[in-house]
Amino acid sequence: MNTLDAIAKRKSIRKYKAEQIKDSALKEIITAGKTAPNAGPFQITVIQNAELLAKISEIALTAMKNSGNDFLISRAALPEYTPLYGAPTLLVLSAPQVNPYSMANTSNAATNMTIAATDLGLGSCYMITPQLAFTADPSLAKEANIPEGFSVICAVAVGYSDGNAFSTERSDVDNVNYIK
């Protein structure tokens, strides 16, 4: 698959099979994230421990329900909804709290990783909800070995797709201006 095909085919997967991804695929996805454009340090933390994934999901769900954000509250109220969508691998991206480019750095890495996952035939989903869990329970950072002084910014769920739960249709939005 070429890059433009992978970009066009990439979509957010919100239901995963329990089967773990291959280490060789994980290595390629991480390499894609590490080579993203950046303006400072960031960390990729790979979580595949089922107990820790369940804990992050549970804390994120509670945080969503108590967020005061109508979208998050409505999403959390959906039957059978879990914030990590059952993904067997979660790539947590963190960066220094003091760097004004941390969001851009981690988002660039996450985008590269979602495109790489698509190229490898895997499903992925860029997400912010794990950040809610790490904010609600700071002890999670220690459990996940997040570096001191770093904050969780975003995450990428990766695994084998198991359907289209909680999906939305893509629409062709006219959001481009040309000034020549």
Side-chain angles (χ1 to χ4, degrees):
M1 181 179 310
N2 73 43
T3 305
L4 294 177
D5 285 340
I7 291 169
K9 290 179 181 176
R10 193 225 56 83
K11 64 180 181 175
S12 294
I13 300 301
R14 295 185 177 94
K15 186 175 182 190
Y16 295 89
K17 295 178 181 177
E19 177 185 353
Q20 191 54 262
I21 65 174
K22 292 181 174 65
D23 286 344
S24 58
L26 178 60
K27 184 177 179 182
E28 289 187 64
I29 293 167
I30 290 169
T31 298
K34 289 171 56 175
T35 58
N38 68 77
F42 63 92
Q43 179 76 24
I44 301 169
T45 300
V46 179
I47 301 175
Q48 295 181 314
N49 177 287
E51 290 177 14
L52 184 53
L53 290 170
K55 185 175 181 179
I56 293 167
S57 188
E58 180 183 318
I59 294 169
L61 184 63
T62 300
M64 291 171 72
K65 290 176 180 177
N66 297 318
S67 68
N69 178 296
D70 290 341
F71 173 77
L72 294 177
I73 293 168
S74 67
R75 183 58 69 133
L78 293 172
E80 299 181 36
Y81 177 81
T82 60
L84 303 186
Y85 308 116
T89 297
L90 184 67
L91 307 170
V92 177
L93 292 113
S94 59
Q97 300 162 349
V98 297
N99 185 343
Y101 307 110
S102 289
M103 175 62 90
N105 294 336
T106 56
S107 292
N108 284 340
T111 298
N112 274 15
M113 290 190 293
T114 62
I115 293 167
T118 300
D119 183 60
L120 295 167
L122 295 167
S124 66
C125 187
Y126 173 91
M127 52 181 60
I128 301 294
T129 51
Q131 184 268 345
L132 296 172
F134 283 89
T135 300
D137 185 350
S139 71
L140 281 177
K142 187 171 190 132
E143 235 178 300
N145 293 321
I146 303 299
E148 186 76 31
F150 279 42
S151 294
V152 172
I153 311 287
C154 60
V156 175
V158 182
Y160 297 100
S161 177
D162 192 21
N164 292 322
F166 313 108
S167 67
T168 55
E169 290 295 318
R170 283 189 180 177
S171 60
D172 188 15
V173 178
D174 185 14
N175 60 352
V176 179
N177 291 341
Y178 292 93
I179 302 171
K180 296 182 178 187

